[in-house]
Amino acid sequence: MIIVMKRTATEENLQDIIHTVEELGYQSHVIRGTQRSVVGAVGDERGKARLRSLEAMEGVEKVVPILQPFKLASREFKPTPTVVRVRNVEIGGDRLPVMAGPCSVESEDQILETAKAVKEAGASVLRGGAFKPRTSPYAFQGLGEEGLRLLAAAREETGLAIVTEVLKPEDVDLVAETADMLQIGARNMQNFALLKRAGEVKKPVLLKRGISSTVQEFLMAAEYVLSEGNYDVVLCERGIRTFETATRFTLDLNAVPVIKKLSHLPIIVDPSHGTGHWEYVTAMAKAGIACGADGLMIEVHMRPEVAFSDGIQSLKPALFRQLMQEIAPFVQAAGRRT
Ligand code: PEP
Ligand code: MN
């Protein structure tokens, strides 16, 4: 339920509502607008009739149900787009930030060199996995804590914000100590314990769509993070499994306008995982911007041929620079700046 306060409602009216909502056993989530505030009351659907009677309380304009199953993530709850701030970078605002870097952090030289190269080309966030989810247990699993240390050194050197994946609930605090943004990967999109833990920390979350997840499941996963009080969630379309084998995944760009309609959360596009091949990355990056994405995530490697993971889909720095130049008119046409 959404409790819409009157323009004239006082802070005391608002506090009374919050108190009553919580007394009825619901969580309250407040959005303070410039004109008026709204309180989202989320919890067990069965008792929602009781929330209706809050319409009788002072300062309340109306009480309306949120029809979508994802409550806090829905446009019904919050009609205006959310802007998520990651260090000095805004996602969902006037700019269209590009996150770039290697799939995995491999060594100090590798991450430093890549960070400098992507920064020079115009990226504003450095990506790189320290903890890697791999299909094979024999594949490189990431440098772990050492990888986090190297990312921090790269941030120190370049000023880029860093996004890196967290695989387990028990690692959330450790990763959050270093990262400016926590990545929850496709394979963990429905790891509910991990989503809840990420909801408890004060770091923005980049949530990637599961490879077999529907848009609704994707937004329900975001809802887990939001419901714990962390409202800084950025979604990432990174391709889904279909019958098509010509590309690694099928980048579902339909999801971008669909999610824009259903949710206020920003959504970025990852054409590297979405295609699985460097030759297709730039075309799909442009397409992502054209269909309304709020940003991009691109894998870049100094020497893709010797990368520990995802070399085939990684761009060399020169190609990344070219991508940044080629997307510029699309960014401008979308009414934004890089
Ligand atoms: C990654 O970003 O390197 C990654 C593992 O992504 P995904 O979870 O989308 O496969
Ligand atoms: Mn990767």
Side-chain angles (χ1 to χ4, degrees):
M1 288 289 202
I2 308 170
I3 297 123
V4 183
M5 303 302 288
K6 288 184 174 149
R7 283 164 187 253
T8 52
T10 63
E11 180 62 29
E12 202 185 338
N13 296 155
L14 182 67
Q15 291 307 325
D16 279 350
I17 293 296
I18 294 170
H19 184 74
T20 312
V21 164
E22 289 175 0
E23 227 171 35
L24 287 170
Y26 289 83
Q27 279 182 8
S28 64
H29 297 267
V30 183
I31 303 179
R32 291 169 191 273
T34 47
Q35 302 286 340
R36 58 176 90 231
S37 297
V38 300
V39 181
V42 293
D44 193 341
E45 287 285 288
R46 287 168 299 183
K48 67 182 181 194
R50 294 200 294 176
L51 288 169
R52 280 222 178 256
S53 50
L54 266 66
E55 222 166 67
M57 287 179 70
E58 211 166 323
V60 176
E61 170 101 18
K62 58 181 177 191
V63 178
V64 284
I66 306 175
L67 299 175
Q68 299 288 2
F70 40 88
K71 307 292 177 190
L72 304 172
S74 75
R75 280 262 182 198
E76 293 170 80
F77 175 56
K78 184 171 180 283
T80 56
T82 289
V83 178
V84 173
R85 204 182 163 83
V86 180
R87 213 175 165 85
N88 52 350
V89 180
E90 283 187 348
I91 307 168
D94 296 341
R95 289 184 176 252
L96 196 142
V98 177
M99 307 179 182
C103 181
S104 305
V105 180
E106 298 170 6
S107 70
E108 184 157 5
D109 285 350
Q110 176 243 18
I111 196 69
L112 275 178
E113 263 186 89
T114 317
K116 285 183 201 157
V118 299
K119 178 174 180 171
E120 204 193 287
S124 47
V125 179
L126 175 66
R127 64 146 288 143
F131 296 93
K132 294 302 301 177
R134 303 306 301 279
T135 304
S136 164
Y138 309 119
F140 176 61
Q141 304 286 311
L143 295 181
E145 281 194 64
E146 169 68 1
L148 294 176
R149 199 185 63 72
L150 299 179
L151 282 166
R155 171 176 57 204
E156 187 74 19
E157 181 89 14
T158 60
L160 291 172
I162 55 182
V163 56
T164 193
E165 180 160 354
V166 57
L167 288 179
K168 298 186 290 193
E170 56 270 34
D171 287 348
V172 166
D173 288 328
L174 173 75
V175 177
E177 250 174 57
T178 304
D180 298 303
M181 183 178 221
L182 301 174
Q183 178 171 324
I184 295 186
R187 287 151 196 87
N188 264 321
M189 191 206 81
Q190 284 190 319
N191 180 339
F192 301 117
L194 178 62
L195 295 169
K196 283 188 189 176
R197 268 306 286 131
E200 287 166 6
V201 295
K202 294 269 158 290
K203 279 285 157 85
V205 170
L206 180 69
L207 179 62
K208 300 189 84 175
R209 181 178 179 183
I211 64 177
S212 307
S213 299
T214 63
V215 164
Q216 179 158 320
E217 287 163 344
F218 191 14
L219 291 172
M220 291 307 286
E223 187 76 11
Y224 264 90
V225 181
L226 301 173
S227 72
E228 295 296 330
N230 186 349
Y231 304 126
D232 291 329
V233 176
V234 175
L235 303 167
C236 178
E237 166 57 46
R238 48 78 71 215
I240 53 173
R241 270 279 152 80
T242 67
F243 54 79
E244 183 55 73
T245 53
T247 48
R248 186 179 179 195
F249 293 98
T250 297
L251 189 64
D252 178 20
L253 292 182
N254 289 352
V256 176
V258 171
I259 284 172
K260 286 272 162 209
K261 180 177 169 179
L262 296 174
S263 177
H264 54 87
L265 296 173
I267 175 161
I268 68 165
V269 163
D270 169 357
S272 303
H273 291 86
T275 62
H277 201 286
W278 63 270
E279 276 185 287
Y280 310 133
V281 170
T282 301
M284 296 315 286
K286 293 174 187 169
I289 297 167
C291 71
D294 297 298
L296 294 173
M297 175 173 256
I298 309 287
E299 286 189 339
V300 178
H301 200 283
M302 304 305 290
R303 294 174 63 207
E305 62 282 6
V306 294
F308 291 3
S309 58
D310 287 350
I312 303 167
Q313 68 195 36
S314 299
L315 301 184
K316 290 181 184 165
L319 267 180
F320 178 65
R321 271 198 300 279
Q322 199 178 326
L323 174 148
M324 291 299 284
Q325 284 161 12
E326 287 187 30
I327 63 170
F330 290 83
V331 174
Q332 204 184 4
R336 291 178 135 151
R337 293 175 297 144
T338 42

